[in-house]
Structures are given as structure tokens and as C-alpha cells.
């Protein structure tokens, strides 16, 4: 027992690392990944997008040229640094040209190799200092090197991420403090403090801008997903409603077929056995179809769903609907063309719902406008046209309150932040019946919905 206790400390297991050691290791790993790994990788700066705050207001060639505005700004910053660098007095022939290139090249390099441009700017700073003949208070950064390094820090921070910007600032601080401490008599006139202060403010502003941009992108993406889910949920709800209505309609007709098939033999005196067997087969098939229909379509009913006591509305109830919307303040008129006839219940129900939704959208989106409902009984189907005029101009009683108010259009598809999806529901009903539908603004500023619902003839139904 004692020997075992004595051997425990001699095990070869690795010692646990302290939190400080792990923190330092992670920091060094981040430094190596951000500034050393693929430091001179080719990463060209792409043109700005067409939906930017500046480019979206331009058109034609001006919009194409504005897409290259970031490259033009970077080039201008490089030329400014080059101009300041060439004003210094340099040693040897061509020294001023070398100073200008040392200030220009790192800035231009940020457009293709951003991290490499930072290292080039760090390397060019002591070279430019060594070439200068006078120091004064420009130590360790000359005027051209100062502007060059600030520009490189800002551009690289914008093109990378905040952690990379923090490492660049830290290395800049190490170089500035080290050069100042080794400067001897020039330490009092060092411009390291100005460099560190200005670069810290600039990098902080870039970090805040990047965080806001990422947050805006996340919000936009979330809004897009939310709008898509809302539209999808509305579509599913509309399909559920249609399935319920179809269940009621088809179940009613199948029940009538079964009852009539059962009662038909008793209405014929001495019916032949073949006829009785035929009616029995019809009834059995009707009952089987009704059972299968209830099994398939019955799942769309929620537990708290209650079937309506009143029969489903048809085109015969159109006058009551128009009277209802007139009571709500909408001026609407109706026109019927063609020979009025009885249509399949599903077609009449969908036509009624489409007119109802269109008039509801007029009340919602074009208050005060007038509407017109046209119903056309044509060969092979039913035509609908619901059109409304523009919203009346605002009252001139207080014209200074809303001087820029413009007429709104009714029956338009609601915006993504709206609560309704009437156009979606109408299209779903039309698609269910293999019909056609158009919904678009009218020439007078209103809105128009046209629908055609095909109705098969009796011969087609029998076939």
C-alpha cells in the first residue's frame, strides 16, 4: 500500500496546463493564423455591389464606374503618401523616388495581398527612416510612412476581421515603442504616440462598422427567412382551408350518390337482377370512396375545428357579399355577362372566395376607392374581373400635414411585413382548379385581378 502511494507521483502523465498558459497559447495561435499563415495569399479586392448606398442612386456608366470607387480611394491614399514621402530630403541619387515607392507600394498592395501589405509597410518604415537625412520630430515614422501605415492598417482591417486589426496594432505598438527606446536623442520627438492613438481610434471605428454590418446582414437574412416561412405557413393554411372545403363538398356529393344508389331499386317495379347488382356496386363504391376520402382529407381538420352549420357560399350569395362591403364603405358595382348557369360547387365556392378576398384587399389597401366586379359565364368556364380605382387624394383641409402623400393602390400583394397574403390564397385556389390568374396595377393607379376558372362540359365529365 505504501509502495503504491510512493509510485503515484512518478507516473509519466502530462501535467495540466494553467489557464494563463492556455490563453497565451491561443493568442500565439491566433497571431500565427492571422498574420503569418498565407500572409501573401492572393485576395483581390472585388468591385462594390450594385446595391450600395452610393451605386444604387446612379444609372448607366456612372453606376459601373462607382463600383470601382474603393480602388480609386485606395489609389488616392497611396498617391498622397507618395507625395509626402518625396518631399523629404533623401540620401543618394534617386532617394526621393525610393521614398515615394516605399510609401506607395504597400498601400496599392492592400488591393491584392492585404496581410502582405502590412508586413511590407512595417519593413518599409525603417528603410525610409534610414534614407532620410533629417529626423526632427519625425521618428520612427516619416510623413509619407505615417500616412502609408495608417492607410494600410485601415484597409487591411476593413478587408479582414477585428482580431487581425488588433494584432496589427499590437505589432505597430511594439515597433514604435522599441524604436523610440532605441532612438537616443530622438526619443523626445517621437511620433509613436500619435501613430498609436490615431490608429487605435481608426481601428475601433472599423471594428464597430464591421460589427454593425454583420448584424445588419444577420437581420436581413433573418427577415428573409421569416418572410419565406410566413408565406409558406400562409400557403399551407390556405391549402388546409381548401382541403376542408373540398372535403365538405365531395363528401356531400358522395353521400348523395350512395343514398340514391340504395334507393333507386325501390323506385322501379320488378327491377332486373342485373340492375339491382349494378346499384349495389355503385353504392359500395361510393361508400368506399367516401370512407377513403374521410381518411385522407380528414387529417387536415384540427382537433378544435368545427364544420360550419351553414352551407358553403356560392355565386348566388354574391349580392349579399356586395351589400356587406357597401355597408363597410366600399362603393362597388356588379356586372354579369353570359347565360347564368349552375356550376360545380367547388368552382362557385372558389369564385366567391376570390371575389371576397379581392374586395377585402380593396378595403384594406385602397380606402375610399370604388370597385367593380364582373362575372362572365363563357363557354368552357367562368371569368372573373375585380378592379378598383386609385385611392382618392387626401382632403385639402390641412394640406401642410402630409404634403407628399401619394395615392395607394388596392388589391396589391401585401408587403413582406404585412399580416395578410390574399394574393397567395387566390392563386392557390386558381391553381387547384387549373385556372389562370393575373394580378397587376391598373393604368389609372388602381389594381386589377382577372381570373378564369375552367369548367368541363358534361361530355368531358362522363368521359
Amino acid at each position: 500500500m505504501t509502495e503504491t502511494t510512493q509510485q503515484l507521483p512518478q507516473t509519466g502523465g502530462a501535467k495540466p496546463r494553467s489557464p494563463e498558459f492556455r490563453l497565451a497559447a491561443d493568442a500565439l495561435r491566433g497571431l500565427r493564423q492571422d498574420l503569418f499563415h498565407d500572409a501573401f495569399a492572393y485576395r483581390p479586392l472585388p468591385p462594390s455591389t450594385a446595391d450600395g448606398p452610393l451605386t444604387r442612386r446612379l444609372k448607366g456608366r456612372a453606376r459601373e464606374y462607382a463600383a470601382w470607387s474603393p480602388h480609386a480611394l485606395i489609389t488616392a491614399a497611396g498617391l498622397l503618401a507618395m507625395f509626402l514621402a518625396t518631399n523629404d530630403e533623401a540620401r543618394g541619387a534617386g532617394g526621393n523616388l525610393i521614398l515615394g515607392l516605399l510609401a506607395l507600394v504597400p498601400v496599392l498592395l492592400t488591393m491584392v495581398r492585404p496581410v502582405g501589405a502590412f508586413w511590407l509597410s512595417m519593413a518599409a518604415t525603417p528603410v525610409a527612416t534610414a534614407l532620410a537625412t533629417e529626423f526632427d520630430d519625425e521618428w520612427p515614422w516619416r510623413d509619407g510612412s505615417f500616412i502609408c501605415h495608417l492607410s494600410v492598417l485601415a484597409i487591411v482591417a476593413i478587408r479582414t476581421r477585428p482580431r487581425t486589426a488588433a494584432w496589427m496594432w499590437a505589432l505597430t505598438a511594439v515597433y514604435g515603442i522599441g524604436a523610440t527606446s532605441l532612438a537616443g536623442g530622438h526619443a523626445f520627438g517621437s511620433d509613436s504616440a500619435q501613430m498609436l492613438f490615431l490608429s487605435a481610434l481608426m481601428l475601433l471605428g472599423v471594428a464597430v462598422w464591421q460589427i454593425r454590418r454583420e448584424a445588419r446582414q444577420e437581420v436581413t437574412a433573418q427577415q428573409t427567412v421569416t418572410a419565406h416561412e410566413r408565406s409558406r405557413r400562409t400557403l399551407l393554411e390556405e391549402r388546409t382551408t381548401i382541403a376542408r372545403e373540398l372535403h365538405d363538398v365531395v363528401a356531400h356529393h358522395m353521400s348523395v350518390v350512395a343514398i340514391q344508389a340504395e334507393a333507386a331499386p325501390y323506385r322501379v317495379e320488378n327491377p332486373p337482377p342485373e340492375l339491382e347488382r349494378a346499384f349495389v356496386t355503385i353504392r359500395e363504391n361510393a361508400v368506399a370512396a367516401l370512407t377513403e376520402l374521410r381518411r385522407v382529407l380528414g387529417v387536415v381538420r384540427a382537433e378544435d375545428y368545427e364544420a360550419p352549420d351553414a352551407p358553403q357560399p356560392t355565386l348566388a350569395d354574391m349580392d349579399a357579399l356586395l351589400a356587406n362591403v357597401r355597408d363597410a364603405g366600399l362603393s362597388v358595382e356588379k356586372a354579369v355577362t353570359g347565360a347564368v348557369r349552375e356550376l360545380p360547387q367547388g368552382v362557385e365556392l372558389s369564385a366567391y372566395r376570390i371575389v371576397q378576398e379581392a374586395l377585402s384587399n380593396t378595403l384594406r389597401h385602397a380606402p375610399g376607392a370604388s370597385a367593380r366586379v364582373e362575372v362572365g359565364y363563357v363557354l368552357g368556364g367562368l371569368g372573373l374581373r375585380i378592379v378598383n380605382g386609385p385611392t382618392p387624394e387626401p382632403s385639402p383641409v390641412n394640406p401642410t400635414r402630409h404634403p407628399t402623400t401619394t395615392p395607394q393602390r388596392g388589391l396589391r400583394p401585401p408587403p413582406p411585413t404585412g399580416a395578410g397574403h390574399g394574393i397567395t390564397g387566390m392563386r392557390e385556389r386558381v391553381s387547384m382548379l387549373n385556372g389562370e390568374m393575373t394580378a397587376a396595377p391598373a393604368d389609372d393607379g388602381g389594381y386589377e385581378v382577372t381570373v378564369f376558372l375552367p369548367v368541363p362540359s358534361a361530355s368531358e365529365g362522363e368521359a
Side-chain angles (χ1 to χ4, degrees), residues 1-35:
M1 191 71 174
T2 304
E3 295 177 357
T4 305
T5 305
Q6 292 176 353
Q7 292 177 1
L8 285 176
Q10 299 177 3
T11 57
K15 295 182 180 180
R17 303 295 186 181
S18 64
E20 293 79 5
F21 179 85
R22 291 196 299 268
L23 183 62
D26 293 339
L28 292 177
R29 190 180 303 110
L31 173 62
R32 183 172 63 254
Q33 180 181 358
D34 292 342
L35 294 181

Side-chain angles (χ1 to χ4, degrees), residues 181-360:
S181 62
L182 297 176
H186 302 290
F188 181 79
S190 172
D191 55 0
S192 297
Q194 293 91 324
M195 168 63 74
L196 296 180
F197 177 74
L198 292 177
S199 61
L201 288 181
M202 181 179 58
L203 295 180
L204 179 61
V206 172
V208 172
W209 174 79
Q210 287 181 331
I211 293 174
R212 289 192 60 184
R213 183 185 62 179
E214 293 176 358
R216 190 182 302 111
Q217 291 175 349
E218 292 180 359
V219 170
T220 303
Q222 187 62 34
Q223 288 178 346
T224 303
V225 172
T226 302
H228 176 72
E229 291 296 329
R230 185 187 298 115
S231 178
R232 183 173 177 270
R233 184 174 63 251
T234 302
L235 184 62
L236 292 177
E237 291 175 354
E238 189 65 28
R239 288 182 177 178
T240 301
T241 302
I242 295 173
R244 289 170 178 170
E245 294 174 348
L246 280 178
H247 177 274
D248 296 337
V249 172
V250 179
H252 168 72
H253 287 294
M254 294 302 296
S255 299
V256 171
V257 170
I259 293 174
Q260 290 181 348
E262 183 178 7
Y266 300 99
R267 298 182 180 180
V268 180
E269 185 177 356
N270 298 323
E274 295 81 3
L275 183 60
E276 291 183 353
R277 285 195 300 269
F279 280 120
V280 169
T281 303
I282 293 174
R283 181 182 181 280
E284 290 177 352
N285 290 334
V287 172
L290 183 60
T291 302
E292 186 67 17
L293 177 68
R294 287 173 176 170
R295 184 181 68 83
V296 176
L297 295 182
V299 297
V300 302
R301 295 187 182 276
E303 295 180 358
D304 56 348
Y305 175 77
E306 296 181 0
D309 296 333
Q312 296 293 339
T314 63
L315 291 177
D317 303 312
M318 185 75 66
D319 293 335
L321 173 63
L322 299 183
N324 188 23
V325 296
R326 289 191 185 102
D327 293 339
L330 177 64
S331 176
V332 58
E333 58 180 8
K334 183 183 75 168
V336 180
T337 58
V340 179
R341 64 184 185 277
E342 185 177 355
L343 302 175
Q345 188 172 355
V347 175
E348 295 215 1
L349 174 61
S350 296
Y352 180 91
R353 295 300 188 197
I354 291 171
V355 174
Q356 184 182 40
E357 183 62 36
L359 295 178
S360 298

Side-chain angles (χ1 to χ4, degrees), residues 315 318 347 350-352 354-355 373-376 382-386 436 449-453:
L315 291 177
M318 185 75 66
V347 175
S350 296
Y352 180 91
I354 291 171
V355 174
V373 178
E374 298 178 1
V375 181
L382 176 70
L384 298 174
R385 180 175 179 267
I386 308 97
E436 299 177 0
V449 175
T450 58
V451 175
F452 176 75
L453 302 177

Side-chain angles (χ1 to χ4, degrees), residues 89-213:
E89 295 183 3
R91 297 185 177 93
N96 291 85
L97 178 60
I98 296 176
L99 288 177
L101 293 177
L102 290 176
L104 173 65
V105 174
V107 179
L108 298 181
L109 191 62
T110 58
M111 292 187 288
V112 289
R113 306 182 191 274
V115 179
F118 166 75
W119 289 115
L120 182 60
S121 177
M122 291 287 292
T125 298
V127 175
T129 304
L131 289 176
T133 57
E134 296 181 358
F135 293 98
D136 297 332
D137 58 347
E138 299 177 355
W139 175 268
W141 280 279
R142 310 294 296 176
D143 287 341
S145 300
F146 194 95
I147 299 300
C148 170
H149 198 66
L150 275 180
S151 302
V152 168
L153 287 177
I155 299 169
V156 177
I158 293 174
R159 297 203 58 195
T160 55
R161 53 181 176 175
R163 191 179 73 176
T164 304
W167 280 120
M168 292 189 302
W169 187 87
L171 293 178
T172 301
V174 170
Y175 171 78
I177 295 173
T180 301
S181 62
L182 297 176
H186 302 290
F188 181 79
S190 172
D191 55 0
S192 297
Q194 293 91 324
M195 168 63 74
L196 296 180
F197 177 74
L198 292 177
S199 61
L201 288 181
M202 181 179 58
L203 295 180
L204 179 61
V206 172
V208 172
W209 174 79
Q210 287 181 331
I211 293 174
R212 289 192 60 184
R213 183 185 62 179

